[in-house]
Amino acid sequence: MTSPNPLADHYQRALRADEVLAQIDSHYPAGPTLHQLAPLDQLHIGGVAASARLLQRLNPDTHSKVLDIGAGLGGLMRQGASLGFQMTGLDITHGFSALNKALSLRVNQPDSLPLTWVTGNASALPFAENSFDAVLFQHSLLNMLDATKVIAESRRVLRPGGQLVMHEVISGPNVAHLRYPVPWAASSEHSHLMSVTELTRLLETGGFLLEHVEDWSKIALEWRQRQRQKEQTPRQAVLSPQWVFGERFITMGKNLVDNLAEGAIKVVEIQASC
């Protein structure tokens, strides 16, 4: 029988949510910090530093209500909340949304604003028009088959003057040689990469005004190489991506380095307004 949500199955296949929570409760009884959770909940290339750079493009005084599309396990959400943003996280994978909430309830962040978690599809956002001041994508558009509809939905829920900020994996000049599996896809079935030209054109035709486009590929490769070295050390980390992806992440991590180094993928930061 075909699964009604094969993308969610990809992410939930090896997810050990109960074991993750038991591990956290055992090692961090007073509650984990954002940096302690980062190996688990900042699954994008660049980690906490990349999320910080993304959030620095917004001002919580002028763009406080933020929708994180493809929120995953919530690292970006909790980091944003600690800076004064009202974060709503949407993910198509219910197992991620549930664990995201459980992690957030354990984090010791007394001064952070409350979070909202929604399981839903970015192609049909369950929010009214003009609901948000900003929309974030961090390694999430790459999973979306109908990017045109996703961008249209993002535009719909943004107020006039709202901001769209992306930290995304895109296709490189050698994308035909992309090696699988990677964290977002076991095969080409769930990998929907666009070139930077295709992505910026999509935003412009979708009613956005481009304000910033920056290639992060060199920084991304250097970061991923450092992470790869850490992952190959014999010590057992308290938390790691393997709690989400299982043993598959050993190959995924290697393929990320190779794909970046060989130009199969690139990483960009984009900001646009509506």
Side-chain angles (χ1 to χ4, degrees), residues 41-52:
D41 69 1
Q42 300 266 4
L43 293 174
H44 49 271
I45 301 169
V48 171
S51 294

Side-chain angles (χ1 to χ4, degrees), residues 7 69-70 90 121-123 137 140-148 150 190-194:
L7 178 59
I69 293 182
L90 178 133
N121 192 320
S123 296
F137 289 84
S140 52
L141 191 67
L142 76 182
N143 273 140
M144 298 175 188
L145 178 61
D146 193 344
T148 300
V150 172
H190 298 134
S191 184
H192 304 293
L193 302 180
M194 289 181 282

Side-chain angles (χ1 to χ4, degrees), residues 12-254:
Q12 293 178 148
R13 175 178 146 191
L15 182 63
R16 297 150 58 188
D18 291 341
E19 293 177 58
V20 164
L21 296 175
Q23 178 85 339
I24 290 170
D25 292 343
S26 172
H27 285 81
Y28 309 121
T33 66
L34 297 186
H35 279 81
Q36 287 168 337
L37 279 183
L40 176 80
D41 69 1
Q42 300 266 4
L43 293 174
H44 49 271
I45 301 169
V48 171
S51 294
R53 283 185 55 167
L54 197 67
L55 291 164
Q56 284 170 4
R57 304 211 66 83
L58 297 174
N59 183 337
D61 294 329
T62 58
H63 292 80
S64 62
K65 295 185 66 176
V66 179
L67 174 62
D68 180 5
I69 293 182
L73 296 184
L76 180 62
M77 286 180 66
R78 288 182 284 274
Q79 203 167 335
S82 72
L83 297 173
F85 293 100
Q86 301 174 48
M87 302 293 298
T88 296
L90 178 133
D91 204 282
I92 199 169
T93 305
H94 183 66
F96 274 13
S97 296
L99 183 53
N100 180 348
K101 184 174 182 179
L103 293 172
S104 298
L105 294 175
R106 282 166 166 77
V107 172
N108 185 10
Q109 281 186 279
D111 298 326
S112 293
L113 295 176
L115 302 170
T116 302
W117 305 269
V118 178
T119 299
N121 192 320
S123 296
L125 292 173
F127 309 108
E129 294 181 8
N130 306 325
S131 297
F132 295 97
D133 301 314
V135 171
L136 302 182
F137 289 84
Q138 189 169 43
H139 291 29
S140 52
L141 191 67
L142 76 182
N143 273 140
M144 298 175 188
L145 178 61
D146 193 344
T148 300
K149 185 175 286 187
V150 172
I151 295 305
E153 279 290 275
S154 300
R155 177 68 182 82
R156 180 182 66 81
V157 302
L158 277 171
R159 66 163 172 81
Q163 295 285 313
L164 181 146
V165 185
M166 291 181 164
H167 172 219
E168 278 295 318
V169 178
I170 61 171
S171 62
N174 298 317
V175 68
H177 302 293
L178 196 154
R179 302 184 188 189
Y180 295 96
V182 286
W184 67 90
S187 68
S188 59
E189 178 185 4
H190 298 134
S191 184
H192 304 293
L193 302 180
M194 289 181 282
S195 69
V196 67
T197 301
E198 291 169 330
L199 180 52
T200 53
R201 184 185 300 123
L202 175 66
L203 292 169
E204 289 175 328
T205 57
F208 286 94
L209 176 66
L210 288 173
E211 296 183 353
H212 170 81
V213 180
E214 184 177 353
D215 189 330
W216 283 16
S217 301
K218 183 176 183 294
I219 296 171
L221 175 58
E222 292 170 350
W223 181 88
R224 188 57 233 163
Q225 288 171 330
R226 292 194 300 271
Q227 293 303 112
R228 178 74 178 149
Q229 290 177 339
K230 293 178 184 178
E231 291 157 5
Q232 291 178 309
T233 60
R235 71 178 182 84
Q236 185 67 38
V238 175
L239 296 172
S240 80
Q242 289 192 45
W243 290 91
V244 179
F245 295 110
E247 294 301 314
R248 295 179 299 165
F249 189 76
I250 297 172
T251 304
M252 290 175 173
K254 180 182 184 303

